[in-house]
Amino acid sequence: MDPPFSPLSISREFKVELPNMSAPLVAAFSLHFDSQKETWRQTILLSFQSLGVIYGRLSTAPLYVFGTLDPEDIDPNKGLYELFSFVFWTLTIISLLKYTLIVLRADNDGEGNSIDNLLNQRFSEKMLLKCSYSHGILAGGTFSLYSLLCRHAKVGLLPDDKSGNEIKHYHAESPCNRSVESMARSAIQKRKASHYLMLFLALFGSCVIIADGVLTPAISDVPVTSACAILVCIFTLQHYGTHKIGFIFAPIIIFWLLCISGVGLYNIIHYDSHIIYAVSPVYMYRFIRNIDFERCKLLGSVVLCVAGSEAMFADLGHFSKKAIKVTFVCLIYPLLVLSYAGQTAYISKHLGDSKDVLHLGESVPKRNIYHAFTVLSLFASAVGSQATITASFSIINQCQAFGCFPRVKVIHTSDKIHGQVYIPDVNWILMVLSLAITIGLAVISGMLVTTCLMSLVIGLYWGKSLLLSAGFLVFFGSVEAVYLSLCLLSFYKGAWCLVLLVVLSMIIMLSWHYGTMKRYQFDIENKLSVDWLTNLSPGLGVSRVPGIGFIYTDVVTGIPAFFSHFITNLPAFHEVLIFVSFKSLPVPYIFPSQRYLIGRVGPKEYKIYRCIVQYGYCDCIRDTDDFEDRIIQCIGEFISREEGDFEAQTSPEEKVIAVGSSMADGSALIPLTRADSYIGRASLATSGTQSPFGDPSESSCPPVRRKKVQFVLPPNSPRMRLSVREELQELVDARESGTAYILGQSHLTVREGANFLKQFLIMTYVFLDKNCREPPVALNIPHAALVEVGMVYII
């Protein structure tokens, strides 16, 4: 039998308890992961789909690497050999070594022991929670790296990351070697400037990917009318989701890769078989030895050979890590090397024949298939933009969960791969900007940010030596920094457009983050203690009315200021009060049994409860119509469990218990469906999502009206005390009397005398907040039951 799982501190102001591990949960967990274990058939299927989503841009890079060069700048005497050497080693070092073999390991708890080994060991809730994040749930991108640093180096600045202790119960002890990392960790934790720098890097990297998602689809060599028609088609297809888009686009990329690699092999055999010797780094040394301004411009085009490599990491939530690695190592990398080698071999024998000799289409051996190759390259180029579009959806989804992006509707398009998301508003904005814009800077900027954050992950999370961490930063960072400086030479040719888009995205993210932080600080500073409600409210003549009142607040302890404002002006509230808080944690998903933290506010006779709903940045928990039913059932389970917990009844601290029974398991309250009552609409039918590790009740459902759930008490049982049955009956009766939802509506204003920067950030935040298409609490609340309490926040 497993040792009891001791209470863990979730903050300084309240406790959280996790239940002991039970045999049924172990069995269910084992069966779930047996079904979730990735087979080779699934890997091949995901690899096929990834070709149409992730690798489209990387596969079409041969169209631009040599095609953007000026033939007059190339040295006819082995100059092409030197350029091919740079292409080969850049692709090998950055795409293969850095991303495929190193960065993909930092998949936000994607590493760990195998399921089979864990299932053969003694189980505890802590082990299963660690395992649940270690397999099949991947999330990539710069914010994923920042998330790892927030959890393991305590560098978080986000409102929901107040304490490094909040998520201790989600992870086993970090594998870091304390003796090696202690000094570096301590120095980073103490210096607030380093915290701001890491957040800035994460935001900057995200903005670069978003800007790249605008620019990449706009790059085309076809007439404007045709390019616009293709763009509209691509963005219109996005609502079908990654799963279907991958199947549609993958055959195009496969045929394209076979075509260019076949052409490359033909050219190597017929024109210059010695091109293979150019993989020697000696040719790079010769190029650098005779470096000048003209040669620097040549390297600015070479960096395009790794365009799309960042998408392998940013789109990690859409596919499995194994599928991404297998596809690149076994297919993409060798075929691209073959294509570049063949193109170089052709150009080496025809340099000077014409101005178009550097274009990939010129190396096609038979001219009668030239037009067919042109059409294929057009379709492949269009598919190539899918990687950055998909990456933009993933990055914005993570930023929104971290409080760094305005509220937008996120639709999960798959019930199997939980990272596959579609954001309608962002999709149409990207389309409009791409159409309006009819560059290697975007490519290398995001890679450099990933290198900086990854070096910190290596030292602070993986526990490797500081020398190895610094070596990673110096080795990859120096390569990317050189390419970045070379790309800046083309600033006047169009790179300014990227800078403009990045600045605009940064303003939006920084303003939203600053406004969210200040609003949260105001809530914390102006919240009231529980004593105010339990001791002082009777003096105000407060009356209790039948029903349940849900009060949505960002604070997890005490009484929110807007509710005290409401009570002061309208001295009445419901006989059952439930304070509901949503807390986004820097993990991809939350195990269902740990999603709801239930506690009691004040004495038992007041019937006031607190519910903290925890979710990861890939979860979609707010959009469920049965959310109210789940909270009520969890409170019923809390009441029945609390009765046997002496510490819970006597502790002066506000303590919460992790509760997560499914709707089908009514141990405290039995849910029954009323056949004659319908409310709401199942929004999961629109989003098409299923909560990870959840029960069937959480899965996707057809777009039909949902039946209202009525709760009844279980049959008399000697194990349930009379006081528990009475309190449960009062909860059921209150539910039958009606439900009201009370939300605070904040109005931010800047204090007189504030500087211009603060005024600008708050003004931008207010504008974004008022124009968000997604409400703060997306729970399909009936308008007749909604009460909004306005309050002015002076910042």
Side-chain angles (χ1 to χ4, degrees):
M1 187 172 181
D2 293 319
F5 194 77
S6 58
L8 295 166
S9 173
I10 193 170
S11 78
R12 297 170 182 169
E13 301 182 66
F14 63 89
K15 293 181 180 178
V16 58
E17 280 193 349
L18 302 177
N20 293 338
M21 197 64 217
S22 60
L25 183 57
V26 173
F29 184 88
S30 304
L31 290 174
H32 174 80
F33 272 107
D34 285 341
S35 63
Q36 292 292 317
K37 187 176 181 180
E38 185 179 341
T39 63
W40 273 106
R41 181 180 179 183
Q42 293 172 324
T43 300
I44 294 174
L45 181 64
L46 290 174
S47 298
F48 177 79
Q49 292 176 303
S50 68
L51 285 168
V53 176
I54 295 179
Y55 293 112
R57 188 179 183 190
L58 198 61
S59 300
T60 56
L63 288 170
Y64 311 109
V65 174
F66 290 111
T68 55
L69 298 176
D70 187 347
E72 298 179 357
D73 294 335
I74 301 177
D75 183 4
N77 185 21
K78 298 297 183 181
L80 283 167
Y81 277 42
E82 296 168 356
L83 286 177
F84 173 70
S85 183
F86 266 101
V87 170
F88 172 80
W89 284 106
T90 301
L91 191 65
T92 301
I93 291 175
I94 294 180
S95 300
L96 179 63
L97 181 60
K98 176 188 169 183
Y99 280 97
T100 307
L101 301 182
I102 300 178
V103 175
L104 282 180
R105 294 180 57 199
D107 53 15
N108 209 347
D109 295 320
E111 68 281 359
N113 297 324
S114 68
I115 294 293
D116 295 333
N117 291 337
L118 284 174
L119 290 178
N120 291 330
Q121 297 175 10
R122 297 174 63 198
F123 279 98
S124 67
E125 185 81 3
K126 192 172 184 179
M127 286 175 59
L128 293 187
L129 288 172
K130 180 179 185 294
C131 185
S132 68
Y133 297 120
S134 300
H135 297 271
I137 292 183
L138 311 176
T142 54
F143 252 92
S144 179
L145 297 177
Y146 180 72
S147 169
L148 289 174
L149 295 172
C150 286
R151 299 206 304 276
H152 299 281
K154 298 181 182 178
V155 298
L157 292 169
L158 303 174
D160 296 320
D161 190 30
K162 307 175 297 301
S163 170
N165 295 328
E166 278 194 10
I167 54 172
K168 281 185 179 179
H169 60 289
Y170 292 100
H171 301 276
E173 197 67 24
S174 174
C176 298
N177 185 340
R178 304 299 176 188
S179 61
V180 176
E181 68 167 12
S182 57
M183 294 181 61
R185 181 186 291 269
S186 177
I188 291 176
Q189 290 176 356
K190 290 180 180 179
R191 288 172 173 78
K192 209 70 173 178
S194 63
H195 301 183
Y196 286 105
L197 177 61
M198 292 181 196
L199 177 60
F200 175 81
L201 287 175
L203 291 177
F204 179 76
S206 301
C207 291
V208 169
I209 292 176
I210 295 171
D212 203 20
V214 174
L215 291 177
T216 302
I219 297 176
S220 179
D221 296 327
V222 299
V224 174
T225 305
S226 301
C228 291
I230 293 172
L231 285 175
V232 171
C233 292
I234 292 175
F235 284 103
T236 304
L237 289 173
Q238 297 303 314
H239 74 279
Y240 288 108
T242 307
H243 179 77
K244 294 181 179 178
I245 291 177
F247 274 113
I248 295 173
F249 289 165
I252 298 175
I253 297 301
I254 291 175
F255 191 54
W256 167 256
L257 286 170
L258 294 177
C259 181
I260 61 174
S261 60
V263 170
L265 182 60
Y266 175 88
N267 290 330
I268 292 173
I269 296 174
H270 282 76
Y271 294 110
D272 190 0
S273 59
H274 295 288
I275 189 64
I276 303 300
Y277 298 118
V279 299
S280 171
V282 174
Y283 287 93
M284 287 197 302
Y285 170 74
R286 293 175 182 174
F287 185 93
I288 297 174
R289 185 179 58 185
N290 301 317
I291 195 73
D292 55 20
F293 181 75
E294 298 300 330
R295 292 193 162 210
C296 287
K297 290 195 299 182
L298 295 177
L299 291 182
S301 296
V302 169
V303 72
L304 293 176
C305 72
V306 292
S309 298
E310 180 71 19
M312 286 194 290
F313 186 48
D315 292 339
L316 187 56
H318 293 255
F319 303 96
S320 70
K321 179 173 60 176
K322 184 179 180 181
I324 295 175
K325 284 186 175 183
V326 168
T327 306
F328 183 81
V329 175
C330 299
L331 187 65
I332 302 296
Y333 178 74
L335 294 186
L336 284 181
V337 171
L338 202 60
S339 173
Y340 286 120
Q343 190 179 4
T344 306
Y346 174 84
I347 297 172
S348 65
K349 297 302 181 182
H350 297 84
L351 187 63
D353 291 355
S354 67
K355 293 183 179 179
D356 296 331
V357 69
L358 298 180
H359 291 280
L360 182 63
E362 295 295 319
S363 63
V364 176
K366 293 184 179 181
R367 307 311 299 172
N368 56 352
I369 64 171
Y370 175 79
H371 295 293
F373 181 85
T374 302
V375 174
L376 179 60
S377 66
L378 174 61
F379 280 103
S381 299
V383 174
S385 62
Q386 182 62 45
T388 53
I389 296 173
T390 305
S392 298
F393 293 158
S394 298
I395 291 296
I396 290 175
N397 183 37
Q398 296 179 21
C399 291
Q400 181 179 236
F402 271 82
C404 293
F405 199 85
R407 297 181 301 272
V408 290
K409 184 173 183 59
V410 177
I411 297 177
H412 290 246
T413 59
S414 173
D415 59 354
K416 297 180 178 64
I417 308 296
H418 303 289
Q420 295 184 0
V421 296
Y422 164 65
I423 307 177
D425 296 335
V426 173
N427 180 63
W428 303 125
I429 290 174
L430 290 177
M431 185 188 75
V432 171
L433 292 177
S434 296
L435 291 173
I437 296 180
T438 328
I439 48 199
L441 184 59
V443 175
I444 205 64
S445 298
M447 292 180 177
L448 189 57
V449 170
T450 299
T451 298
C452 295
L453 293 176
M454 188 65 201
S455 64
L456 293 173
V457 170
I458 291 174
L460 300 180
Y461 175 52
W462 288 357
K464 305 299 181 181
S465 67
L466 295 179
L467 182 62
L468 184 62
S469 176
F472 177 90
L473 176 62
V474 172
F475 179 70
F476 292 104
S478 59
V479 174
E480 293 162 350
V482 169
Y483 278 126
L484 179 62
S485 61
L486 296 175
C487 290
L488 291 175
L489 297 176
S490 62
F491 183 85
Y492 66 94
K493 293 183 179 180
W496 61 269
C497 188
L498 170 70
V499 175
L500 182 62
L501 290 171
V502 170
V503 170
L504 180 61
S505 301
M506 282 292 290
I507 290 175
I508 292 175
M509 289 189 175
L510 288 175
S511 300
W512 189 264
H513 173 68
Y514 181 79
T516 303
M517 288 273 295
K518 289 300 180 181
R519 187 181 65 178
Y520 185 82
Q521 282 182 347
F522 186 92
D523 287 335
I524 292 298
E525 294 170 359
N526 293 274
K527 70 177 181 179
L528 300 174
S529 65
V530 178
D531 293 338
W532 181 89
L533 186 63
T534 57
N535 297 334
L536 300 181
S537 58
L540 300 175
V542 176
S543 59
R544 306 292 292 268
V545 296
I548 296 179
F550 286 89
I551 296 94
Y552 292 93
T553 173
D554 289 333
V555 297
V556 295
T557 58
I559 306 300
F562 77 85
F563 187 69
S564 64
H565 179 67
F566 173 78
I567 295 299
T568 304
N569 292 275
L570 185 62
F573 57 86
H574 296 81
E575 59 180 336
V576 175
L577 278 184
I578 303 175
F579 290 97
V580 181
S581 301
F582 292 97
K583 284 299 157 185
S584 172
L585 298 180
V587 291
Y589 297 95
I590 301 298
F591 200 79
S593 63
Q594 306 304 321
R595 175 157 293 153
Y596 299 96
L597 304 179
I598 307 296
R600 191 183 295 277
V601 179
K604 187 175 182 179
E605 60 269 16
Y606 276 83
K607 296 189 290 291
I608 303 177
Y609 309 94
R610 186 179 305 281
C611 175
I612 302 172
V613 185
Q614 303 181 118
Y615 63 99
Y617 54 76
C618 291
D619 272 325
C620 185
I621 190 62
R622 301 192 186 199
D623 289 337
T624 57
D625 276 308
D626 57 355
F627 180 78
E628 172 191 326
D629 301 331
R630 292 186 179 280
I631 289 184
I632 292 176
Q633 190 177 29
C634 287
I635 290 177
E637 185 178 341
F638 164 81
I639 293 172
S640 62
R641 184 186 301 177
E642 182 196 36
E643 185 67 21
D645 187 353
F646 179 77
E647 181 185 356
Q649 302 177 54
T650 59
S651 174
E653 301 179 72
E654 187 178 326
K655 185 173 67 172
V656 293
I657 297 177
V659 177
S661 64
S662 66
M663 292 293 293
D665 178 22
S667 58
L669 293 177
I670 301 177
L672 299 177
T673 302
R674 286 185 191 171
D676 60 342
S677 180
Y678 296 82
I679 58 174
R681 176 180 175 87
S683 61
L684 282 181
T686 304
S687 61
T689 184
Q690 177 180 357
S691 184
F693 312 112
D695 51 50
S697 65
E698 296 192 31
S699 61
S700 304
C701 54
V704 296
R705 301 179 68 190
R706 182 177 59 84
K707 296 181 179 180
K708 185 176 181 180
V709 174
Q710 180 184 17
F711 291 100
V712 297
L713 270 65
N716 290 328
S717 170
R719 294 184 300 174
M720 182 177 291
R721 298 184 182 182
L722 179 61
S723 59
V724 174
R725 293 190 64 87
E726 291 177 351
E727 187 172 3
L728 290 175
Q729 187 61 54
E730 291 173 350
L731 180 64
V732 171
D733 294 341
R735 165 68 186 280
E736 294 300 310
S737 298
T739 303
Y741 305 84
I742 303 175
L743 276 67
Q745 187 66 33
S746 60
H747 301 278
L748 271 66
T749 182
V750 183
R751 193 184 306 273
E752 293 185 6
N755 57 55
F756 172 78
L757 179 60
K758 179 180 290 188
Q759 293 181 16
F760 175 76
L761 292 176
I762 295 298
M763 179 180 65
T764 306
Y765 172 82
V766 172
F767 174 80
L768 295 172
D769 187 45
K770 289 183 177 180
N771 290 276
C772 283
R773 288 169 54 85
E774 188 74 358
V777 181
L779 293 173
N780 299 323
I781 297 175
H783 292 289
L786 177 62
V787 179
E788 291 189 344
V789 182
M791 191 169 182
V792 177
Y793 288 40
I794 301 178
I795 306 301

